[in-house]
């Protein structure tokens, strides 16, 4: 979970707080400069590869504020800078897995609409569970089409990312007969291969029932694999 500025200030030492103050000031300055530029006469075209100073701070967040605070610090920088699509795309494409995760965790706080969906879709193509978990947040819930969203849920089941990380899971899964079919097929494939069926699959399958059937028992899925024999068997 991302920490607020107040929570960070309570945890960071003096040097780290000073660094964060400077970093956020640079981000705010860049946001103000871009806003001002939109109201002035057009100037020389800025190279899409030019990085404002706060983006360098973004990469150094863990080194100065601790890895446990890096996601939160990076998110604050993105929000303070009112990061544009070129900025978040550059930070994602050029970043480490941790830097990419922070971008994904913050997309819903930026005014980007569905223009940042390619980043979400890229993360969902990976098998990095940190990126998959971050990709199924509010941005995916709001903007992925039904087909892509269903496959995102299946990706979580396949990579063992807890479905609790899927934003708006209950609302989007309710009454989704196609998702229920895909879950049944997935369970059958796992069982045929001698693999266990994730418990989270039953959780999602229960959510696919229409609202007026919410209290009815979930229909059986493929039987779970038998437990492995123990030394006492």
């Amino acid at each position: 979970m991302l920490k607020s500025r107040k929570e960070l200030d309570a945890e960071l030492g003096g040097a780290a707080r000073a660094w964060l103050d400077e970093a956020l000031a640079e981000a705010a300055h860049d946001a103000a400069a871009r806003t001002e530029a939109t109201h002035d006469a057009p100037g020389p075209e800025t190279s899409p590869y030019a990085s404002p100073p706060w983006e360098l701070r973004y990469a150094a967040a863990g080194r100065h504020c601790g890895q446990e605070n890096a996601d939160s610090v990076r998110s604050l920088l993105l929000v303070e800078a009112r990061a544009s699509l070129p900025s978040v795309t550059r930070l994602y494409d050029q970043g480490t897995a941790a830097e990419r995760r922070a971008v994904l965790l913050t997309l819903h706080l930026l005014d980007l609409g569905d223009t940042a969906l390619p980043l979400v879709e890229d993360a969902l193509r990976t098998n990095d569970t940190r990126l998959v978990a971050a990709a199924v947040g509010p941005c995916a819930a709001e903007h992925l089409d039904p087909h892509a969203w269903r496959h995102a849920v299946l990706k979580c089941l396949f990579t063992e990312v807890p479905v609790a990380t899927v934003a708006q899971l209950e609302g989007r899964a309710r009454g989704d007969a196609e998702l229920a079919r895909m879950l049944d097929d997935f369970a059958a494939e796992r069982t045929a291969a001698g693999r266990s069926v994730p418990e989270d699959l039953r959780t999602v399958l229960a959510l696919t029932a229409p609202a007026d059937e919410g209290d009815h028992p979930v229909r059986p899925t493929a039987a779970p694999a038998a437990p492995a024999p123990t030394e006492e068997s």
Side-chain angles (χ1 to χ4, degrees), residues 34 36-46:
R34 284 187 286 109
E36 183 178 350
T38 61
H39 299 297
D40 293 339
E45 184 175 351
T46 303

mmCIF file with all atom_site columns, all heavy atoms in Angstrom, residues 34 36-46:
data_model
loop_
_atom_site.group_PDB
_atom_site.id
_atom_site.type_symbol
_atom_site.label_atom_id
_atom_site.label_alt_id
_atom_site.label_comp_id
_atom_site.label_asym_id
_atom_site.label_entity_id
_atom_site.label_seq_id
_atom_site.pdbx_PDB_ins_code
_atom_site.Cartn_x
_atom_site.Cartn_y
_atom_site.Cartn_z
_atom_site.occupancy
_atom_site.B_iso_or_equiv
_atom_site.pdbx_formal_charge
_atom_site.auth_seq_id
_atom_site.auth_comp_id
_atom_site.auth_asym_id
_atom_site.auth_atom_id
_atom_site.pdbx_PDB_model_num
ATOM 1  N N   . ARG A 1 34 ? 5.328  23.356 -17.418 1.00 0.00 ? 34 ARG A N   1
ATOM 2  C CA  . ARG A 1 34 ? 4.579  22.808 -18.550 1.00 0.00 ? 34 ARG A CA  1
ATOM 3  C C   . ARG A 1 34 ? 3.214  23.476 -18.679 1.00 0.00 ? 34 ARG A C   1
ATOM 4  O O   . ARG A 1 34 ? 2.736  23.723 -19.785 1.00 0.00 ? 34 ARG A O   1
ATOM 5  C CB  . ARG A 1 34 ? 4.430  21.290 -18.389 1.00 0.00 ? 34 ARG A CB  1
ATOM 6  C CG  . ARG A 1 34 ? 5.691  20.521 -18.715 1.00 0.00 ? 34 ARG A CG  1
ATOM 7  C CD  . ARG A 1 34 ? 5.491  19.020 -18.706 1.00 0.00 ? 34 ARG A CD  1
ATOM 8  N NE  . ARG A 1 34 ? 5.358  18.497 -17.352 1.00 0.00 ? 34 ARG A NE  1
ATOM 9  C CZ  . ARG A 1 34 ? 4.246  18.041 -16.828 1.00 0.00 ? 34 ARG A CZ  1
ATOM 10 N NH1 . ARG A 1 34 ? 3.113  18.056 -17.530 1.00 0.00 ? 34 ARG A NH1 1
ATOM 11 N NH2 . ARG A 1 34 ? 4.220  17.565 -15.597 1.00 0.00 ? 34 ARG A NH2 1
ATOM 12 N N   . GLU A 1 36 ? 2.514  26.551 -17.748 1.00 0.00 ? 36 GLU A N   1
ATOM 13 C CA  . GLU A 1 36 ? 2.767  27.894 -18.258 1.00 0.00 ? 36 GLU A CA  1
ATOM 14 C C   . GLU A 1 36 ? 3.048  27.867 -19.755 1.00 0.00 ? 36 GLU A C   1
ATOM 15 O O   . GLU A 1 36 ? 2.597  28.739 -20.501 1.00 0.00 ? 36 GLU A O   1
ATOM 16 C CB  . GLU A 1 36 ? 3.939  28.521 -17.514 1.00 0.00 ? 36 GLU A CB  1
ATOM 17 C CG  . GLU A 1 36 ? 4.240  29.953 -17.915 1.00 0.00 ? 36 GLU A CG  1
ATOM 18 C CD  . GLU A 1 36 ? 5.378  30.555 -17.112 1.00 0.00 ? 36 GLU A CD  1
ATOM 19 O OE1 . GLU A 1 36 ? 5.806  29.934 -16.118 1.00 0.00 ? 36 GLU A OE1 1
ATOM 20 O OE2 . GLU A 1 36 ? 5.842  31.644 -17.494 1.00 0.00 ? 36 GLU A OE2 1
ATOM 21 N N   . ALA A 1 37 ? 3.775  26.839 -20.180 1.00 0.00 ? 37 ALA A N   1
ATOM 22 C CA  . ALA A 1 37 ? 4.140  26.753 -21.599 1.00 0.00 ? 37 ALA A CA  1
ATOM 23 C C   . ALA A 1 37 ? 2.918  26.576 -22.483 1.00 0.00 ? 37 ALA A C   1
ATOM 24 O O   . ALA A 1 37 ? 2.894  27.030 -23.632 1.00 0.00 ? 37 ALA A O   1
ATOM 25 C CB  . ALA A 1 37 ? 5.116  25.602 -21.815 1.00 0.00 ? 37 ALA A CB  1
ATOM 26 N N   . THR A 1 38 ? 1.886  25.933 -21.961 1.00 0.00 ? 38 THR A N   1
ATOM 27 C CA  . THR A 1 38 ? 0.688  25.714 -22.775 1.00 0.00 ? 38 THR A CA  1
ATOM 28 C C   . THR A 1 38 ? -0.072 27.016 -23.016 1.00 0.00 ? 38 THR A C   1
ATOM 29 O O   . THR A 1 38 ? -0.872 27.110 -23.950 1.00 0.00 ? 38 THR A O   1
ATOM 30 C CB  . THR A 1 38 ? -0.257 24.703 -22.108 1.00 0.00 ? 38 THR A CB  1
ATOM 31 O OG1 . THR A 1 38 ? -0.683 25.213 -20.835 1.00 0.00 ? 38 THR A OG1 1
ATOM 32 C CG2 . THR A 1 38 ? 0.428  23.367 -21.919 1.00 0.00 ? 38 THR A CG2 1
ATOM 33 N N   . HIS A 1 39 ? 0.174  28.014 -22.157 1.00 0.00 ? 39 HIS A N   1
ATOM 34 C CA  . HIS A 1 39 ? -0.521 29.293 -22.310 1.00 0.00 ? 39 HIS A CA  1
ATOM 35 C C   . HIS A 1 39 ? 0.318  30.336 -23.052 1.00 0.00 ? 39 HIS A C   1
ATOM 36 O O   . HIS A 1 39 ? -0.187 31.402 -23.396 1.00 0.00 ? 39 HIS A O   1
ATOM 37 C CB  . HIS A 1 39 ? -0.905 29.853 -20.943 1.00 0.00 ? 39 HIS A CB  1
ATOM 38 C CG  . HIS A 1 39 ? -1.826 28.949 -20.180 1.00 0.00 ? 39 HIS A CG  1
ATOM 39 N ND1 . HIS A 1 39 ? -3.091 28.636 -20.618 1.00 0.00 ? 39 HIS A ND1 1
ATOM 40 C CD2 . HIS A 1 39 ? -1.661 28.287 -19.009 1.00 0.00 ? 39 HIS A CD2 1
ATOM 41 C CE1 . HIS A 1 39 ? -3.676 27.820 -19.754 1.00 0.00 ? 39 HIS A CE1 1
ATOM 42 N NE2 . HIS A 1 39 ? -2.831 27.593 -18.768 1.00 0.00 ? 39 HIS A NE2 1
ATOM 43 N N   . ASP A 1 40 ? 1.581  30.028 -23.270 1.00 0.00 ? 40 ASP A N   1
ATOM 44 C CA  . ASP A 1 40 ? 2.463  30.955 -23.960 1.00 0.00 ? 40 ASP A CA  1
ATOM 45 C C   . ASP A 1 40 ? 2.563  30.595 -25.435 1.00 0.00 ? 40 ASP A C   1
ATOM 46 O O   . ASP A 1 40 ? 2.081  29.565 -25.891 1.00 0.00 ? 40 ASP A O   1
ATOM 47 C CB  . ASP A 1 40 ? 3.868  30.929 -23.338 1.00 0.00 ? 40 ASP A CB  1
ATOM 48 C CG  . ASP A 1 40 ? 3.851  31.476 -21.918 1.00 0.00 ? 40 ASP A CG  1
ATOM 49 O OD1 . ASP A 1 40 ? 2.893  32.212 -21.591 1.00 0.00 ? 40 ASP A OD1 1
ATOM 50 O OD2 . ASP A 1 40 ? 4.776  31.163 -21.146 1.00 0.00 ? 40 ASP A OD2 1
ATOM 51 N N   . ALA A 1 41 ? 3.241  31.456 -26.166 1.00 0.00 ? 41 ALA A N   1
ATOM 52 C CA  . ALA A 1 41 ? 3.485  31.164 -27.580 1.00 0.00 ? 41 ALA A CA  1
ATOM 53 C C   . ALA A 1 41 ? 4.354  29.925 -27.696 1.00 0.00 ? 41 ALA A C   1
ATOM 54 O O   . ALA A 1 41 ? 5.254  29.707 -26.872 1.00 0.00 ? 41 ALA A O   1
ATOM 55 C CB  . ALA A 1 41 ? 4.179  32.358 -28.236 1.00 0.00 ? 41 ALA A CB  1
ATOM 56 N N   . PRO A 1 42 ? 4.126  29.085 -28.691 1.00 0.00 ? 42 PRO A N   1
ATOM 57 C CA  . PRO A 1 42 ? 4.929  27.872 -28.851 1.00 0.00 ? 42 PRO A CA  1
ATOM 58 C C   . PRO A 1 42 ? 6.405  28.197 -28.978 1.00 0.00 ? 42 PRO A C   1
ATOM 59 O O   . PRO A 1 42 ? 6.803  29.104 -29.695 1.00 0.00 ? 42 PRO A O   1
ATOM 60 C CB  . PRO A 1 42 ? 4.387  27.250 -30.150 1.00 0.00 ? 42 PRO A CB  1
ATOM 61 C CG  . PRO A 1 42 ? 3.032  27.866 -30.337 1.00 0.00 ? 42 PRO A CG  1
ATOM 62 C CD  . PRO A 1 42 ? 3.121  29.238 -29.747 1.00 0.00 ? 42 PRO A CD  1
ATOM 63 N N   . GLY A 1 43 ? 7.200  27.435 -28.251 1.00 0.00 ? 43 GLY A N   1
ATOM 64 C CA  . GLY A 1 43 ? 8.643  27.599 -28.323 1.00 0.00 ? 43 GLY A CA  1
ATOM 65 C C   . GLY A 1 43 ? 9.255  26.465 -29.108 1.00 0.00 ? 43 GLY A C   1
ATOM 66 O O   . GLY A 1 43 ? 8.551  25.726 -29.799 1.00 0.00 ? 43 GLY A O   1
ATOM 67 N N   . PRO A 1 44 ? 10.577 26.289 -29.015 1.00 0.00 ? 44 PRO A N   1
ATOM 68 C CA  . PRO A 1 44 ? 11.227 25.189 -29.715 1.00 0.00 ? 44 PRO A CA  1
ATOM 69 C C   . PRO A 1 44 ? 10.668 23.851 -29.237 1.00 0.00 ? 44 PRO A C   1
ATOM 70 O O   . PRO A 1 44 ? 10.371 23.689 -28.051 1.00 0.00 ? 44 PRO A O   1
ATOM 71 C CB  . PRO A 1 44 ? 12.705 25.350 -29.307 1.00 0.00 ? 44 PRO A CB  1
ATOM 72 C CG  . PRO A 1 44 ? 12.829 26.771 -28.858 1.00 0.00 ? 44 PRO A CG  1
ATOM 73 C CD  . PRO A 1 44 ? 11.522 27.146 -28.282 1.00 0.00 ? 44 PRO A CD  1
ATOM 74 N N   . GLU A 1 45 ? 10.513 22.934 -30.140 1.00 0.00 ? 45 GLU A N   1
ATOM 75 C CA  . GLU A 1 45 ? 9.968  21.622 -29.774 1.00 0.00 ? 45 GLU A CA  1
ATOM 76 C C   . GLU A 1 45 ? 10.943 20.906 -28.847 1.00 0.00 ? 45 GLU A C   1
ATOM 77 O O   . GLU A 1 45 ? 12.139 20.838 -29.105 1.00 0.00 ? 45 GLU A O   1
ATOM 78 C CB  . GLU A 1 45 ? 9.725  20.787 -31.032 1.00 0.00 ? 45 GLU A CB  1
ATOM 79 C CG  . GLU A 1 45 ? 9.067  19.454 -30.735 1.00 0.00 ? 45 GLU A CG  1
ATOM 80 C CD  . GLU A 1 45 ? 8.740  18.710 -32.003 1.00 0.00 ? 45 GLU A CD  1
ATOM 81 O OE1 . GLU A 1 45 ? 8.869  19.317 -33.083 1.00 0.00 ? 45 GLU A OE1 1
ATOM 82 O OE2 . GLU A 1 45 ? 8.355  17.533 -31.913 1.00 0.00 ? 45 GLU A OE2 1
ATOM 83 N N   . THR A 1 46 ? 10.385 20.349 -27.764 1.00 0.00 ? 46 THR A N   1
ATOM 84 C CA  . THR A 1 46 ? 11.208 19.623 -26.796 1.00 0.00 ? 46 THR A CA  1
ATOM 85 C C   . THR A 1 46 ? 11.403 18.192 -27.250 1.00 0.00 ? 46 THR A C   1
ATOM 86 O O   . THR A 1 46 ? 10.453 17.539 -27.691 1.00 0.00 ? 46 THR A O   1
ATOM 87 C CB  . THR A 1 46 ? 10.541 19.633 -25.412 1.00 0.00 ? 46 THR A CB  1
ATOM 88 O OG1 . THR A 1 46 ? 10.324 20.986 -25.022 1.00 0.00 ? 46 THR A OG1 1
ATOM 89 C CG2 . THR A 1 46 ? 11.413 18.944 -24.382 1.00 0.00 ? 46 THR A CG2 1
#
